[in-house]
């Protein structure tokens, strides 16, 4: 049934009982992620305790068998696909919220809790955990930490790495480590917990996390600003980010995205729109109108076509409809999509978008840009027909040039999706040789036999 | 003149010219820090470029000579005292602000720039860099990063580690590494730049940093809340931190601190004050009154004796006078002081302060607590006569118990000062054996020959 050594198979079957899956039908459900890549694991473990995780990693290390941590497989980079076989450790049964401490702005959780379930539990305390990826309803906190997930709120409240106080984890060496303390300040030795965030299960398996919480603002309000061109919108983004009222969301759509939202999503948008910003503020009923006024002032400037506000939730929903109409409408352009999430300094957004549109012309493929403008984190959606070999080849060549462009503008490969399989071949362009060599040495310290998520994040030497 | 090998001495003298100091009188100025500890370096280098730093570290590595990075020596832990001799690298000539990019909320600086000089340069852009240690006017950004400096503003704006986007550094292996990008989001490989922050020059020498800036609020206002006892004040801190208006400062003084401020500082404070909170909000003229109202509501509760606000700067200064009167008045109690900066979860502040006062009685020495309540980061000031051997012994025994108490309450040894020499013997109590072993292995990767700041942060094996 499986390629695992008999001795390991017996040991882990004994350790985990019915939580040790080897049936091909059961394993199949753990073979893919949202990258649409696929590779069968030799077995799947559903541990309930950190002791089980520790015993499992130690056993797998003895047999040099890969161990691949898994939340719910919503990531887009292939990071949870077991390309080298081995044991997938799904944290779906380690999904408890262990403690919520409102006065400490802290929650202690197991890695398998769903982001959305955590938010629901926090709501009655008036608190939230800032990371809000699109997948929040069905992605886990552990998965969010593994790829340093962000989302629209990150512009004001930070991404996963900014919102974790401490983690307990099992290294590839089979050691249980406790990194950080559940306090909002700390200067006691090396900062290991932020190092584990974004490491995509290649250094250690997180078995518990102390999360930094934020009090929820009781109200929010939105603005929709339409500009003549990307440059005018990007200048507005810089003005918005240079004044004291930080927007709680600051989302961008380029001309093609606006066109799609209008033509296919039925959004009410003028034909001359060259770029659109969705701007949100949050606060209490007393301060919110003043915050919106400050954002309105900053949004105004050369190239502004229209500025609409949405003071109530219904009006806000209508404004967001334009953005939400986007993803489904992309499929009308082509059956295949490569969606990457490059990041550049905010001031370089116009060059990024202009450069991307030049690549769209050069490679004769539609590319649609939208995303988190306040962080310079744009989702570059390249559309093509995967059944057409020539188009596929052009699509991958164009995306390689998009990465090169983001790097040339002082940016990097990923803002919130991570590297996984999809971008690891580009790592040597993003990270210089000495730093990459150091990353390999760190990996070696945490995981001396290279059993944790092999083939991910770091390129082949 | 120096114990350095002749060959190294010739090479570095040739590299640095007049920026290579070996005269004992000149070296003496680099032998101490604010811990009042003292050890003579064999030489002092004042590099102007990263290339000089790189060449220096490589040369010192060949000869196994210690290299000790130094800002302005304001730290309190002995972290910049060259206890093993070697070469002190003072960054006083690498003090340029290379770039300020307001729209990107980013500044690129050399490590030797003074925190205060940076703030002055940022002011005209309406921006600031959040870390504000008491030493800000004469401490360097590089030194702030080395010990993860915080200050009162950290409760709203974060400490050094939360406010750096990227660093360029020279490792102990003599490699130039570039960690992170100057963007506010990133998920491209391992997070090395936050690992270097707080590593006290034991992993690498930072030669450039990209700092995350924050727009300055145009106005601020303060409240002074006096409570019957620490428990009532701590409950108010928890209420203040659980509502959406995060104070821009939230400082605490215990009963002894209040008494000192009254008796020696001449502050106008009632005799029955058991604890005091200084609460500040910042914002614009429109929102600030609402924010102050929200903080007033949260400050009110059982045990509140008085709540005064200071709507203008003069009134604010009077409120702060009580806090500022503290440090000089401590010297009236005893000639010697041990000032440690333990941190606990906010909800455990009452237990920490009660426990510290029990230790003061047990060891018959005054202990005064004040500090950054919103982060649970208290400065525990233990007062004694260093000329009295029995008192000195009791003082150190008591401080050891203070650390044990903070750890037992789920806290840690240091919130913002770091470990240095002063606290490294306590590291095995704060960090479990497996995690400490991993820290040693990471040190080995960055600094294979152990030349960077030997004898600091990590305890002897």
């Amino acid at each position: 049934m499986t390629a695992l050594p008999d001795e390991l198979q017996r040991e882990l079957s004994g350790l985990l009982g019915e939580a040790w899956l080897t049936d091909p039908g059961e394993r199949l459900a753990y073979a893919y992620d949202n990258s649409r890549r696929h590779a069968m694991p030799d077995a799947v473990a559903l541990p309930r305790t950190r002791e089980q995780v520790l015993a499992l990693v130690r056993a797998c290390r003895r047999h040099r068998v890969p161990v691949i941590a898994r939340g719910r497989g919503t990531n887009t980079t292939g990071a949870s696909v077991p390309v080298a076989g081995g044991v997938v450790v799904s944290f779906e049964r380690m999904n408890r919220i262990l403690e919520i401490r409102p006065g400490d702005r802290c929650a202690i959780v197991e890695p398998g809790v769903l982001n959305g379930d955590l938010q629901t539990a926090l709501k009655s305390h008036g608190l939230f955990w800032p990371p809000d990826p699109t997948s929040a309803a069905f992605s886990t906190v552990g998965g969010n930490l593994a790829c340093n997930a962000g989302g629209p709120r990150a512009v004001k409240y930070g991404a996963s790495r900014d919102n974790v106080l401490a983690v307990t984890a099992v290294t590839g060496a089979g050691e249980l480590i406790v990194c950080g303390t559940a306090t909002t300040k700390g200067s006691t030795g090396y900062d290991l917990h932020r190092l584990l965030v974004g490491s995509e299960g290649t250094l250690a398996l997180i078995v518990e996390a102390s999360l930094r919480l934020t009090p929820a603002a009781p109200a929010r309000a939105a603005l929709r600003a339409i500009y003549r061109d990307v440059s005018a919108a990007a200048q507005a983004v810089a003005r918005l980010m240079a004044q004291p009222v930080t927007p709680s969301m600051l989302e961008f759509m380029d001309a093609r995205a606006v066109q799609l939202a209008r033509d296919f999503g039925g959004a009410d948008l003028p034909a001359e729109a060259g770029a659109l910003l969705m701007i949100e503020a949050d606060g209490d009923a007393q301060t919110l109108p003043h915050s919106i006024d400050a954002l309105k002032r900053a949004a105004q400037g050369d190239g502004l076509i229209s500025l609409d506000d949405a003071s109530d939730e219904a009006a806000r929903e209508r404004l967001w409809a334009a953005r939400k109409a986007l993803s489904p409408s992309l499929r009308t352009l082509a059956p295949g999509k490569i969606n990457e999430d490059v990041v550049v300094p905010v001031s370089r957004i116009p060059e990024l978008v202009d450069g991307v549109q030049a690549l769209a012309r050069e490679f004769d493929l539609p590319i649609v840009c939208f995303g988190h403008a306040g962080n310079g984190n744009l989702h570059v959606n390249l559309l093509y027909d995967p059944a057409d070999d020539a188009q596929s080849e052009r699509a991958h060549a164009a995306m390689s040039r998009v990465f090169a462009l983001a790097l040339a503008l002082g940016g990097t490969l990923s803002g919130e999706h991570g590297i996984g399989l999809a971008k690891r071949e580009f790592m040597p362009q993003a990270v210089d040789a000495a730093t990459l060599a150091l990353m390999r040495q760190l990996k070696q310290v945490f995981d001396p036999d290279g059993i944790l998520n092999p083939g991910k994040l770091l390129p082949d030497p």
Side-chain angles (χ1 to χ4, degrees), chain A:
Chain A
M1 292 294 278
T2 131
L4 297 178
D6 287 346
E7 188 193 327
L8 178 66
Q9 155 77 15
R10 273 195 305 276
E11 180 176 351
L12 294 182
S13 172
L15 177 75
L16 292 156
E18 53 74 46
W20 175 250
L21 313 180
T22 53
D23 179 84
E26 291 178 309
R27 284 186 279 142
L28 193 63
Y30 299 87
Y32 68 93
D33 68 12
N34 198 29
S35 70
R36 306 190 177 188
R37 291 165 205 248
H38 185 283
M40 275 291 267
D42 295 306
V44 176
L46 310 174
R48 287 197 182 274
T49 67
R50 65 182 63 185
E51 290 75 19
Q52 287 178 338
V53 176
L54 192 59
L56 180 147
V57 170
R58 287 177 176 177
C60 286
R61 187 180 176 200
R62 279 197 300 277
H63 293 278
R64 305 289 188 273
V65 164
V67 174
I68 300 91
R70 183 183 179 87
R72 291 291 174 100
T74 59
N75 72 299
T76 62
T77 66
S80 45
V81 177
V83 287
V87 178
V88 164
V89 178
S90 170
F91 284 101
E92 62 200 77
R93 294 183 182 182
M94 286 179 70
N95 65 347
R96 289 177 303 162
I97 298 170
L98 300 172
E99 212 178 337
I100 297 174
R101 302 186 200 150
D104 295 334
R105 293 188 174 187
C106 174
I108 320 276
V109 302
E110 291 183 329
V113 65
L114 296 186
N115 180 311
D117 289 347
L118 174 65
Q119 309 293 2
T120 303
L122 294 175
K123 206 158 192 172
S124 64
H125 300 280
L127 296 163
F128 69 104
W129 189 51
D132 62 338
T134 311
S135 62
F138 34 90
S139 65
T140 66
V141 168
N144 295 166
L145 295 174
C147 68
N148 192 23
R153 281 196 299 230
V155 65
K156 180 168 181 179
Y157 296 109
S160 295
R161 190 178 281 128
D162 305 307
N163 289 289
V164 57
L165 302 172
V167 302
T168 302
V170 175
T171 68
E175 296 286 348
L176 188 79
I177 58 173
V178 181
C179 312
T181 45
T183 54
T184 52
K185 249 183 180 176
S187 191
T188 302
Y190 302 143
D191 189 83
L192 300 181
H193 68 278
R194 288 183 182 83
L195 180 64
L196 294 187
V197 175
S199 68
E200 303 182 359
T202 63
L203 300 180
L205 275 59
I206 294 173
V207 294
E208 184 181 297
S210 300
L211 305 176
R212 181 174 178 261
L213 307 177
T214 300
R220 59 186 177 183
L223 298 170
R224 188 182 73 179
I226 295 174
Y227 297 90
R228 190 180 53 217
D229 52 33
V230 169
S231 172
Q235 281 163 28
V237 171
R239 287 194 303 273
L240 285 157
M241 294 305 291
Q243 54 83 48
V245 179
T246 299
S248 51
M249 295 189 189
L250 178 47
E251 298 288 295
F252 166 86
M253 288 164 59
D254 75 358
R256 293 208 74 132
V258 172
Q259 189 190 335
L260 277 172
R262 185 179 55 236
D263 296 352
F264 298 94
D268 169 30
L269 292 164
E272 71 271 30
L276 180 150
L277 295 180
M278 289 291 310
I279 310 162
E280 264 196 29
D282 60 13
D284 57 33
Q286 288 76 39
T287 60
L288 193 56
H290 300 293
S291 298
I292 284 290
D293 282 349
L295 295 177
K296 272 186 186 168
R297 284 192 299 275
Q300 274 155 13
D302 189 43
L304 178 71
I305 293 175
S306 70
L307 182 60
D308 300 307
D309 64 358
S311 43
D312 60 37
E313 275 293 308
R316 182 184 167 277
E317 283 303 316
R318 280 197 300 278
L319 288 189
W320 274 103
R323 166 75 197 261
K324 286 181 181 161
L326 258 182
S327 279
S329 64
L330 286 173
R331 297 284 174 194
T332 65
L333 293 183
K337 180 179 84 166
I338 306 179
N339 166 17
E340 296 303 353
D341 76 314
V342 295
V343 55
V344 294
V346 164
S347 61
R348 313 303 289 272
I349 291 175
E351 289 160 272
L352 177 65
V353 177
D354 288 353
V356 164
Q357 288 315 325
L359 290 171
R361 289 188 295 273
E362 181 181 338
F363 288 91
D364 191 26
L365 288 170
I367 309 183
V368 181
C369 292
F370 55 92
H372 317 306
N375 293 113
N377 181 204
L378 292 199
H379 293 272
V380 177
N381 290 270
L382 196 148
L383 300 147
Y384 70 108
D385 181 356
D388 179 330
D389 288 346
Q391 272 201 28
S392 293
E393 202 173 301
R394 292 210 308 281
H396 287 90
M399 198 46 89
S400 166
R401 294 274 296 280
V402 169
F403 291 138
L405 175 63
L407 295 170
L409 294 172
T412 190
L413 300 175
S414 172
E416 57 185 12
H417 290 176
I419 300 302
L421 282 168
K423 279 170 273 189
R424 71 187 193 113
E425 67 181 291
F426 300 100
M427 283 289 280
Q429 289 163 245
V431 180
D432 66 281
T435 310
L436 199 54
L438 191 73
M439 288 185 186
R440 286 190 204 285
Q441 288 178 282
L442 295 183
K443 161 82 173 166
Q444 176 79 17
V445 165
F446 280 89
D447 180 23
D449 296 304
I451 60 169
L452 293 190
N453 210 4
K456 310 298 170 59
L457 194 149
L458 293 169
D460 290 329

